[in-house]
Amino acid sequence: AQSLDKGDKLSGVLHFGDASLKETQKLVFSEGVLTEFGIPGMDSASKELAYFTARILPGQAARTFGSGAPMPRASVATSTTKRWFVNGFKVNRPGIEPAGVVKIEPFAIRNGTLQNKSYGDSIVVPGVAIGKRTISDLVLTLREASSKGAIDWYTAMVQQGKPSERSGSIELLSATGEVLAAFDLTGVGVYRLDVEKNESPTAERRFQLFTYVETARFRPVSLAR
């Protein structure tokens, strides 16, 4: 994920196999750039395994037939890898009670790209290069009992027009509560507060807090024991 900031060029191979895991095709790419890195929706009530999302735009790519040999396997054994679930998260931000945040909508850092463009015999942009960065909005679902700070923040910034941007982080936690990685956020401002839609009349009332993020940086993950 560090190449998202540095703009490092990436090369690699994607292997495709049959039911017996023998290689049928492979996609070889080079001179690629990482254009997106993020997390799926996080939910404190779920026990599904979590994962990172990543998009790579290659400068060159070619698909070929596979060798028919067994495909390469991951070099890190499952027994030495820390398990991460979508309920493993913590939001640290002034005015927000971490225990009151029950959901985070999918969140990602994205880099725009500039690709080869030619006019006549002149190449204006050689290869693939990093363009403008964008960050998805951070949308949190909060328990009503823990939402006072969020409501006060919304009232001050939106209804009263007071400047109130904040900094904070999203920590990704192992099953034992250890911080595996984090997104550090600055320039976070609220622009909308809604009551979550729920058809059950007996369900706990919750709020959705919509915020923009001006800058975000990923703190590298550490999954090995």
Side-chain angles (χ1 to χ4, degrees):
Q2 291 178 341
S3 64
L4 193 70
D5 297 316
K6 298 179 180 179
D8 296 336
K9 293 301 176 69
L10 305 173
S11 299
V13 181
L14 295 178
H15 300 271
F16 301 87
D18 57 18
S20 60
L21 297 181
K22 291 183 178 180
E23 185 184 70
T24 57
Q25 297 184 56
K26 63 181 178 180
L27 178 67
V28 182
F29 67 92
S30 60
E31 294 296 306
V33 294
L34 185 62
T35 61
E36 179 179 321
F37 185 80
I39 53 176
M42 308 295 288
D43 187 342
S44 62
S46 175
K47 295 182 180 180
E48 294 183 6
L49 284 172
Y51 53 86
F52 291 104
T53 58
R55 292 178 183 271
I56 298 173
L57 178 64
Q60 299 179 13
R63 186 188 293 268
T64 63
F65 288 107
S67 64
M71 293 192 299
R73 296 180 180 273
S75 59
V76 179
T78 303
S79 60
T80 62
T81 302
K82 295 174 184 176
R83 297 169 71 83
W84 173 41
F85 300 91
V86 295
N87 62 3
F89 67 90
K90 179 181 178 182
V91 176
N92 298 306
R93 197 162 54 184
I96 302 294
E97 296 182 31
V101 181
V102 295
K103 286 184 182 180
I104 303 175
E105 297 302 311
F107 178 80
I109 304 171
R110 301 183 179 93
N111 281 333
T113 55
L114 304 172
Q115 292 181 272
N116 234 351
K117 292 186 179 180
S118 60
Y119 296 89
D121 295 330
S122 301
I123 297 178
V124 178
V125 181
V128 179
I130 295 297
K132 183 180 179 181
R133 168 165 295 188
T134 59
I135 301 169
S136 61
D137 287 349
L138 178 62
V139 181
L140 308 176
T141 300
L142 314 169
R143 294 188 176 92
E144 182 179 20
S146 305
S147 62
K148 183 181 184 304
I151 294 173
D152 291 344
W153 185 21
Y154 172 81
T155 300
M157 191 164 183
V158 178
Q159 296 184 342
Q160 299 175 358
K162 297 179 181 178
S164 186
E165 290 184 343
R166 301 176 179 179
S167 299
S169 65
I170 305 170
E171 293 182 338
L172 310 177
L173 311 176
S174 70
T176 58
E178 179 183 357
V179 178
L180 301 175
F183 288 89
D184 295 318
L185 316 174
T186 58
V188 183
V190 59
Y191 65 88
R192 180 177 166 188
L193 182 68
D194 286 343
V195 175
E196 183 188 38
K197 293 181 180 179
N198 196 318
E199 296 181 357
S200 173
T202 59
E204 173 190 28
R205 193 164 77 150
R206 304 190 298 195
F207 291 93
Q208 283 191 307
L209 185 73
F210 295 77
T211 67
Y212 61 82
V213 180
E214 292 187 348
T215 60
R217 186 175 182 82
F218 179 71
R219 257 191 276 149
V221 65
S222 176
L223 290 177
R225 291 187 187 275

